[in-house]
Amino acid sequence: MARETWGTRTGFILAAAGSAVGLGNIWRFPWMTAENGGSAFLLVYLVIVLAVGVPGLLGEFVIGRRARR
């Protein structure tokens, strides 16, 4: 079985940067908000992240199964 590789170096760099920004959003933002007294906002934020993230992930799975790739 052959391993998949990145098509271009730019694609890899953009994917890595997007991952870093996403992780910063998921981990640092809620921590800073809770630390500064925004715990109620943090709860709403986490609910919205789950409400958007779970359907997005399920959509990715459905698209992948339909495309069979």
Side-chain angles (χ1 to χ4, degrees), residues 7-65:
T8 62
R9 182 177 171 94
T10 305
F12 173 75
I13 291 172
L14 289 174
S19 176
V21 169
L23 285 174
N25 184 40
I26 295 295
W27 292 110
R28 186 160 190 252
F29 177 70
W31 173 72
M32 293 288 291
T33 304
E35 187 178 80
N36 294 314
S39 296
F41 176 75
L42 181 60
L43 243 129
V44 173
Y45 174 78
L46 291 175
V47 167
I48 290 172
V49 165
L50 289 174
V52 171
V54 170
L57 183 64
L58 291 175
E60 284 282 334
F61 288 156
V62 169
I63 291 170
R65 280 190 179 241

